[in-house]
């Protein structure tokens, strides 16, 4: 976006922002919220040049994401760094909003995402992320009951669940 050119100021500086929002309407609203804080420009004196969705380059590969946020709690403003494992940035941000709502009772309006970036496994700090970096990691499925199509649902024998 930029300030609308006027005879007094014919050349205006364009501003570029990366805003994480669920849709275009919310993204434009957040743009005007942040631009008002950064410069003397508001919706009446400015225009949005383009609003595009950024797609991830490898959406099928699991990555580690580091997220820097600022949020308002009941006691004040806090800065936080969090880590998530997901295939896309959108998924990591969704996890962030859900965790902040559950653990900190923070609403989406009070959370400002400062930065999000994919980080290598060597730079991960949190134990709940690094525990998944083992390549020999297995998730066993013990005590499953096989359901056969033609067998009756209710029977007099106990199911054998150990395989």
């Amino acid at each position: 976006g930029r300030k609308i050119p006027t005879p007094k100021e014919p050349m205006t500086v364009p501003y570029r922002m990366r805003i994480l929002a669920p849709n275009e309407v919310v993204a434009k609203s957040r743009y005007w919220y942040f631009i008002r804080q950064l410069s003397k420009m508001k919706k009446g004196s400015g225009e949005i040049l383009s609003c595009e969705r950024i797609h991830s380059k490898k959406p099928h590969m699991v990555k580690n994401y580091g997220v820097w946020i600022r949020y308002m709690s009941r006691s004040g403003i806090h800065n936080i760094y969090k880590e998530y494992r997901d295939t896309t940035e959108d998924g990591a941000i969704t996890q962030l909003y859900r965790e902040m709502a559950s653990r900190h009772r923070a609403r989406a309006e009070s959370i400002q995402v400062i930065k999000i970036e994919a980080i290598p496994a060597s730079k991960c700090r949190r134990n709940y992320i690094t525990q998944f970096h083992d390549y020999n990691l297995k998730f066993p499925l013990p005590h499953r009951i096989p359901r056969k199509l033609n067998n009756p649902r209710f029977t007099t024998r106990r199911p054998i669940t150990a395989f």
Side-chain angles (χ1 to χ4, degrees):
R2 67 173 181 173
K3 207 170 190 177
I4 296 173
T6 59
K8 192 175 181 182
E9 194 179 359
M11 292 295 287
T12 56
V13 179
Y15 293 92
R16 182 177 173 210
M17 276 188 206
R18 216 168 140 230
I19 295 172
L20 299 154
N23 57 39
E24 195 175 325
V25 175
V26 176
K28 287 179 179 179
S29 174
R30 299 298 288 166
Y31 172 78
W32 291 120
Y33 171 78
F34 290 123
I35 206 75
R36 234 176 298 137
Q37 293 177 346
L38 295 169
S39 66
K40 289 185 78 173
M41 182 169 55
K42 55 185 184 178
K43 195 173 179 181
S45 64
E47 63 183 350
I48 293 177
L49 300 173
S50 73
C51 181
E52 297 170 2
R53 183 157 187 225
I54 301 168
H55 298 281
S56 67
K57 290 174 182 147
K58 292 183 180 177
H60 302 297
M61 194 173 102
V62 177
K63 294 172 278 298
N64 306 311
Y65 288 102
V67 185
W68 289 262
I69 65 164
R70 185 175 146 212
Y71 83 101
M72 278 176 38
S73 71
R74 294 179 186 125
S75 59
I77 298 171
H78 310 282
N79 295 322
I80 293 183
Y81 169 76
K82 288 193 167 286
E83 289 178 359
Y84 298 99
R85 273 178 70 82
D86 209 295
T87 54
T88 60
E89 287 184 358
D90 301 344
I93 293 297
T94 301
Q95 284 184 46
L96 165 86
Y97 279 126
R98 288 180 181 165
E99 185 185 355
M100 292 300 292
S102 63
R103 292 197 181 179
H104 302 280
R105 302 292 185 263
R107 308 290 178 266
E109 306 89 50
S110 66
I111 298 169
Q112 295 177 4
V113 178
I114 297 167
K115 183 169 87 168
I116 179 169
E117 69 179 35
I119 53 175
S122 59
K123 297 273 172 109
C124 287
R125 304 181 207 167
R126 307 290 187 248
N127 289 334
Y128 57 85
I129 297 298
T130 56
Q131 68 182 349
F132 294 108
H133 289 167
D134 185 13
Y135 288 108
N136 298 323
L137 189 67
K138 292 179 181 154
F139 296 97
L141 299 170
H143 301 292
R144 289 178 292 160
I145 301 170
R147 295 270 182 226
K148 292 188 178 124
L149 219 55
N150 298 328
N151 284 12
R153 185 170 287 277
F154 302 104
T155 180
T156 55
R157 286 182 307 207
R158 289 179 180 270
I160 299 168
T161 60
F163 295 104

